[in-house]
């Protein structure tokens, strides 16, 4: 039995027991002997319900800049100036074999270290490390224009089977369908100067039209048990588990989600499950608290009510990572100039487990909780990886001397064979200019100069044989990047790998419920303080180096909650005010050391940690026919999200839910210094109309 089958068998155990139990109960009802199953299922009860709901999001903002059709350099003229590839490699050219190669192509021998290309060719002077070779490029990809960010039909069925007072089965089946009728870019239509398209990466993700739902990793196209996906549909079980309750003991076995946190936007103690961002990213109604986002996992959860005041809650489960949006889908946030190789299966992470324990209790007006979790961080980390794409540099005019040196038989491998050993692929739809490289490095919270240098240093000698050298500063990086983009016939695509690391997360919380004059604002105010600490957490290095960034990370949050009745004509208003401080990363888990880059400079990082403030309220109307809400998230470094909404129930089985998401990550200063600028393209109006049965 392989690993995937073994894990799936755990979840399917429940359904197998149900079938056996129902069959036995039916046999007994027809006069069979009354044995074990007769007593086990004597009180069996069955329930079934569900809903169907179309969901649309009307775009009022910009196109997603992380996709091909929304790239900010599409159709924009950018000047490219080539740099001298030999500036840093004079000593290397003194090696006899390369000197012999130069003689073989009629350029004479090199005897003095530091000789520049201009000295060799005479007619090609080199000034400040630059060659007299330049051009102007317009990124040759059309810009898209979408009215809708999302058009989805969602259906859900939930069944409950109670076998007796102690044992039951819970099954929830969810289906999503997106017709994909967007203005998007078909990667088949991206053609480079050599007439070739994209070669590297998973063809289902990078070679054709956008793939909305398939989560694919290296070596496994179906890494999530109990999930069946296609380009336009998703069917899966967010819940399929047996539940056993007896006295103080509660057991759940099967596919399930575990939610330990209650905060809006914030996840301090909610560390068990990763998030699935394929479905509307994080832009659902904020007050739903990620209920539709947690990735279910096969596992066992145990709860034990130690006393009336104290509860112990423990789990062990199969590790499942967070899932990011696929390239060129509406909410993708990984720039599509890069190809991702997810090593979840190939790296053996699909057989890892996570486990943890939480204690929660009350003492009068006080509440306490503490947790300890051993998990693989579901967000994963990224690094440069070899492209394995053997395609020669098509343009011999820029690096002609490189082509001759490498292709004349003196040194052996071609530029394509060497490029395959580096993180780059000469292909369309990549990065076309140093301006684009620096701009998107800042948006992705990466260091443009150190990112280039890590790709060169960690993939030598292939990179040095291509005459690549570490850049000393921004100008040198600009020159070198443009040289290779021009030599590639226009663009290079970068290849990065995603892998996962184990970590220990420790957390604690304390709450207090105030007492005051009945009906006053300070009466029954809930004050909750939560904190977590992760020693030696592994982050993506801003350089994308294989030498990951490791930091001790602490997160703290103060939450004030209150139900207050302002008038007897309306039910109580729910209000919550939250503050979060993170010492090493942002709201999305990105290291703060990658902040601060822009088109003119690499990332400098920010100090003092990251801070966020949330205010939300919810006001039901009489008979709860209407319910208005508001949620705001503020990043003091220059970003804000405001989400007003209204829910209407014209009749018991129909619900209309509408909300608007306004995101501004340019309130002041460099937008790459705040977390929300990543999503400020996604201003939109969302409408959901549900029918429940």
């Amino acid at each position: 039995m392989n690993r995937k089958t073994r894990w799936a068998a755990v979840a399917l155990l429940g359904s197998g027991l149900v079938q056996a139990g129902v069959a036995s109960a039916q046999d007994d009802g027809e006069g069979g002997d009354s044995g074990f199953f007769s007593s086990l299922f004597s009180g069996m009860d069955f329930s079934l319900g569900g809903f169907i709901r179309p969901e649309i999001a009307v775009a009022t903002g910009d196109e997603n800049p992380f996709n091909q059709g929304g790239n900010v350099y599409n159709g924009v003229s950018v000047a490219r100036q080539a740099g001298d590839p030999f500036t840093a490699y004079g000593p290397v050219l003194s090696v006899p074999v390369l000197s012999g190669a130069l003689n073989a192509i009629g350029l004479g021998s090199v005897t003095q270290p530091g000789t520049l290309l201009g000295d060799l060719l005479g007619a090609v002077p080199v000034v400040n490390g630059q060659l007299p070779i330049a051009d102007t490029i317009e990124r040759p990809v059309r810009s898209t224009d979408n009215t809708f960010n999302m058009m989805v039909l969602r259906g859900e069925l939930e069944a409950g089977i109670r076998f007796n007072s102690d044992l039951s089965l819970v099954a929830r089946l969810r289906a999503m369908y997106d017709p994909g009728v967007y203005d998007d870019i078909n990667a088949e239509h991206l053609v480079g100067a050599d007439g070739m398209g994209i070669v590297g990466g998973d063809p289902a993700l990078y070679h054709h039209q956008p793939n909305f739902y398939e989560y694919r990793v290296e070596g496994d196209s179906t890494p999530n048990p109990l999930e069946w996906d296609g380009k336009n549909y998703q069917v899966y079980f967010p819940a399929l588990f047996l539940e056993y309750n007896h006295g103080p003991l509660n057991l759940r076995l099967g596919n399930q989600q575990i939610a330990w946190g209650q905060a809006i936007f914030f996840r301090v103690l909610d560390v068990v499950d990763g998030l699935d961002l394929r479905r509307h990213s994080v832009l659902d109604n904020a007050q739903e608290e990620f209920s539709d986002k947690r990735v279910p996992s096969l596992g066992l959860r145990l709860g034990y009510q130690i006393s009336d005041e104290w509860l112990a809650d423990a789990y062990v489960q199969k590790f499942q990572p967070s899932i990011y949006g696929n390239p060129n889908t509406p909410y993708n946030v990984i720039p599509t100039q890069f190809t991702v190789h997810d090593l979840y299966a190939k790296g053996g992470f699909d057989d890892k487990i996570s486990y943890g324990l939480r204690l929660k209790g009350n003492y009068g007006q006080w509440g306490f909780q503490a947790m300890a979790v051993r998990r693989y961080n579901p967000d994963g980390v990224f690094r440069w990886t070899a492209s394995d794409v053997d395609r020669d540099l098509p343009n011999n005019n820029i690096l002609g001397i490189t082509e001759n040196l490498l292709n004349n038989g003196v040194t052996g491998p071609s530029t394509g064979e060497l490029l395959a050993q580096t993180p780059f692929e000469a292909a369309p739809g990549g990065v076309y200019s140093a301006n684009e490289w620096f701009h998107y490095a800042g948006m992705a919270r990466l260091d443009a100069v150190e990112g280039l240098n890590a790709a060169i240093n960690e993939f030598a000698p292939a990179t040095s044989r291509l005459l690549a050298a570490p850049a000393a500063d921004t100008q040198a990086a600009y020159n070198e990047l443009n040289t290779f983009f021009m030599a590639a016939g226009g663009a290079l695509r970068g290849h990065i790998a995603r892998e996962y690391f184990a970590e220990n997360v420790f957390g604690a919380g304390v709450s207090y419920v105030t007492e005051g004059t009945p009906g006053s604002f300070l009466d029954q105010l809930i004050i909750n303080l939560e904190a977590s600490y992760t020693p030696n957490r592994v982050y993506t290095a801003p350089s994308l180096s294989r030498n990951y960034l490791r930091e001790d990370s602490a997160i703290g949050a103060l939450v004030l909650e209150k139900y207050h009745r302002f008038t007897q004509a309306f039910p109580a208003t729910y209000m919550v005010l939250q503050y979060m401080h993170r010492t090493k990363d942002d709201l999305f888990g990105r290291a703060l050391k990658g902040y601060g880059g822009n088109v003119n400079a690499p990332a400098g990082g920010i100090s003092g940690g990251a801070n966020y403030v949330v205010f939300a309220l919810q006001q039901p109307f009489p008979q709860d026919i209407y319910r208005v809400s508001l949620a705001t998230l503020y990043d003091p470094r220059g970003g804000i999200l405001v989400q007003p909404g209204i829910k209407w129930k014209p009749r018991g089985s129909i619900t209309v839910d509408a909300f608007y998401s306004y995101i501004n990550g340019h309130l002041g200063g460099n937008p790459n210094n705040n977390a929300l600028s990543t999503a400020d393209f996604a201003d939109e109006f969302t409408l959901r109309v549900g029918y429940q049965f």
Side-chain angles (χ1 to χ4, degrees):
M1 181 181 293
N2 61 34
R3 290 178 300 192
K4 184 185 298 184
T5 305
R6 185 165 68 246
W7 280 113
V10 174
L12 294 177
L13 173 63
S15 59
L17 285 176
V18 172
Q19 293 171 357
V22 172
S24 297
Q26 290 173 341
D27 289 344
D28 288 345
E30 294 172 358
D33 59 341
S34 57
F36 169 75
F37 286 111
S38 176
S39 58
L40 180 63
F41 300 111
S42 59
M44 191 168 72
D45 187 23
F46 177 79
S47 63
L48 179 67
F51 67 84
I52 186 169
R53 184 173 75 196
E55 304 177 355
I56 64 169
V58 181
T60 61
D62 300 322
E63 290 291 288
N64 185 343
F66 298 103
N67 289 337
Q68 293 289 345
N71 190 295
V72 297
Y73 285 92
N74 288 346
V76 176
S77 295
V78 177
R80 301 190 299 189
Q81 168 66 61
D84 174 20
F86 287 89
T87 301
Y89 275 87
V92 175
L93 293 178
S94 297
V95 177
V97 65
L98 291 184
S99 297
L102 290 171
N103 276 322
I105 59 176
L107 292 178
S109 63
V110 182
T111 58
Q112 297 298 321
T115 300
L116 300 181
L117 181 59
D119 299 323
L120 291 171
L121 300 182
V124 185
V126 178
V127 180
N128 295 326
Q130 294 181 342
L131 292 174
I133 302 173
D135 69 2
T136 299
I137 185 76
E138 289 187 5
R139 196 171 192 275
V141 179
R142 70 173 182 86
S143 294
T144 54
D145 185 12
N146 279 285
T147 302
F148 297 95
N149 286 339
M150 179 179 67
M151 288 183 288
V152 167
L153 181 63
R154 172 196 293 256
E156 190 166 310
L157 287 173
E158 181 167 354
I161 302 176
R162 179 170 294 280
F163 304 115
N164 56 38
S165 59
D166 293 337
L167 184 65
S168 60
L169 173 78
V170 175
R172 185 178 303 120
L173 180 67
R174 183 174 293 157
M176 313 278 292
Y177 175 72
D178 189 323
V181 288
Y182 305 101
D183 182 17
D184 52 36
I185 299 295
N186 186 339
E188 294 176 356
H189 300 155
L190 298 176
V191 179
D194 58 355
M196 301 291 288
I198 299 171
V199 175
D202 190 322
L205 301 180
Y206 294 98
H207 298 182
H208 307 292
Q209 288 182 310
N211 189 325
F212 293 93
Y213 290 119
E214 283 189 277
Y215 174 46
R216 302 172 69 93
V217 302
E218 299 287 298
D220 193 345
S221 60
T222 56
N224 281 354
L226 302 180
E227 178 176 307
W228 302 269
D229 302 322
K231 184 173 75 72
N232 295 91
Y233 69 88
Q234 178 185 28
V235 180
Y236 73 108
F237 282 96
L240 178 61
F241 58 84
L242 281 170
E243 183 169 25
Y244 177 77
N245 282 287
H246 187 79
L249 177 66
N250 175 269
L251 286 173
R252 290 184 176 184
L253 174 66
N255 207 46
Q256 56 192 296
Q257 299 167 317
I258 299 176
W260 279 358
Q262 305 295 327
I264 299 171
F265 293 115
F266 298 161
R267 304 183 79 201
V268 180
L269 302 183
D270 186 19
V271 299
V272 180
D273 295 328
L275 299 181
D276 189 338
L277 303 179
R278 290 172 292 182
R279 305 182 301 272
H280 209 194
S281 186
V282 293
L283 296 174
D284 281 338
N285 193 315
Q287 298 193 36
E288 294 174 352
E289 299 174 358
F290 303 110
S291 60
D292 182 47
K293 300 303 177 191
R294 293 181 182 89
V295 178
S297 181
L298 302 170
L300 173 67
R301 184 178 185 183
L302 181 151
Y304 192 83
Q305 195 71 46
I306 301 171
S307 66
D308 290 342
E309 290 78 27
W310 286 95
L311 169 70
D313 187 9
Y315 76 92
V316 57
Q317 67 176 22
K318 180 181 184 292
F319 165 60
Q320 297 291 152
S322 293
I323 306 174
Y324 298 105
N326 283 335
N328 292 310
T329 56
Y331 302 100
N332 163 58
V333 294
I334 299 176
T336 51
Q337 302 96 313
F338 294 85
T339 299
V340 179
H341 302 265
D342 196 321
L343 303 182
Y344 173 63
K346 190 175 181 179
F349 301 103
D350 57 343
D351 204 26
K352 304 300 183 182
I353 63 171
S354 298
Y355 51 89
L357 171 68
R358 179 179 66 157
L359 292 174
K360 189 174 183 180
N362 298 292
Y363 183 77
Q365 296 165 246
W366 292 89
F368 306 92
Q369 60 178 321
M371 69 160 194
V373 169
R374 174 70 172 180
R375 69 169 191 170
Y376 280 79
N377 188 337
D379 295 340
V381 288
F382 298 85
R383 59 169 172 81
W384 291 119
T385 190
S387 70
D388 292 326
V389 177
D390 183 350
R391 178 186 286 177
D392 286 345
L393 294 174
N395 189 341
N396 289 344
N397 294 322
I398 304 303
L399 289 180
I401 189 167
T402 306
E403 288 290 327
N404 286 317
L405 282 171
L406 297 171
N407 292 338
N408 66 5
V410 176
T411 56
S414 67
T415 54
E417 292 173 304
L418 290 174
L419 272 177
Q421 302 171 47
T422 77
F424 301 108
E425 168 192 357
V431 181
Y432 286 80
S433 67
N435 300 66
E436 183 182 352
W437 174 281
F438 270 75
H439 184 94
Y440 275 86
M443 290 174 62
R445 306 305 188 262
L446 300 173
D447 187 308
V449 174
E450 291 307 314
L452 170 64
N453 290 343
I456 293 171
N457 291 330
E458 295 180 9
F459 292 86
T463 49
S464 58
R465 296 181 74 179
L466 286 165
L467 304 182
D473 53 34
T474 297
Q475 186 59 58
Y478 257 78
N479 292 343
E480 184 164 13
L481 287 164
N482 281 329
T483 300
F484 280 94
F485 295 143
M486 295 165 78
L492 289 172
R493 294 186 59 82
H495 287 249
I496 54 179
R498 184 189 186 196
E499 53 189 350
Y500 308 88
F501 285 86
E503 62 185 21
N504 299 314
V505 185
F506 306 98
V510 59
S511 63
Y512 181 75
V513 182
T514 65
E515 288 186 350
T517 304
S520 68
F521 198 80
L522 293 180
D523 185 41
Q524 301 301 301
L525 173 67
I526 304 172
I527 305 172
N528 188 38
L529 180 64
E530 295 180 348
S532 67
Y533 173 70
T534 306
N536 202 33
R537 170 168 282 178
V538 180
Y539 293 100
T540 297
S543 63
L544 289 176
S545 170
R546 66 184 62 152
N547 298 314
Y548 292 113
L549 182 64
R550 296 176 182 268
E551 303 265 269
D552 294 342
S553 171
I555 303 172
L558 174 65
V559 182
L560 306 179
E561 294 181 83
K562 170 69 177 175
Y563 282 93
H564 188 75
R565 193 159 190 172
F566 290 95
T567 171
Q568 294 300 312
F570 283 82
T573 305
Y574 171 74
M575 296 170 288
V576 58
L577 178 65
Q578 303 177 164
Y579 165 75
M580 171 183 275
H581 177 75
R582 305 175 72 99
T583 60
K584 301 298 182 181
D585 58 9
D586 70 4
L587 197 61
F588 306 117
R590 300 173 297 187
L592 298 177
K593 289 185 176 179
Y595 269 54
N598 58 41
V599 71
N600 298 312
I606 57 174
S607 59
N611 300 286
Y612 306 98
V613 179
V614 165
F615 176 72
L617 63 82
Q618 196 174 105
Q619 175 63 65
F621 280 57
Q623 288 79 51
D624 205 20
I625 297 176
Y626 296 96
R627 183 180 292 258
V628 296
S629 63
L630 174 69
T632 61
L633 169 64
Y634 176 61
D635 184 334
R637 295 185 184 273
I640 192 169
L641 184 156
V642 181
Q643 191 184 76
I646 184 170
K647 184 175 288 187
W648 174 41
K649 295 194 71 171
R651 51 188 295 184
S653 59
I654 297 177
T655 301
V656 180
D657 187 13
F659 55 92
Y660 183 78
S661 297
Y662 168 77
I663 308 171
N664 189 334
H666 295 75
L667 294 181
N670 182 354
N672 296 328
N673 278 337
N674 74 81
L676 293 175
S677 65
T678 301
D680 71 355
F681 66 90
D683 294 349
E684 61 181 26
F685 170 76
T686 302
L687 178 66
R688 308 188 296 199
V689 181
Y691 174 74
Q692 190 169 357
F693 54 87

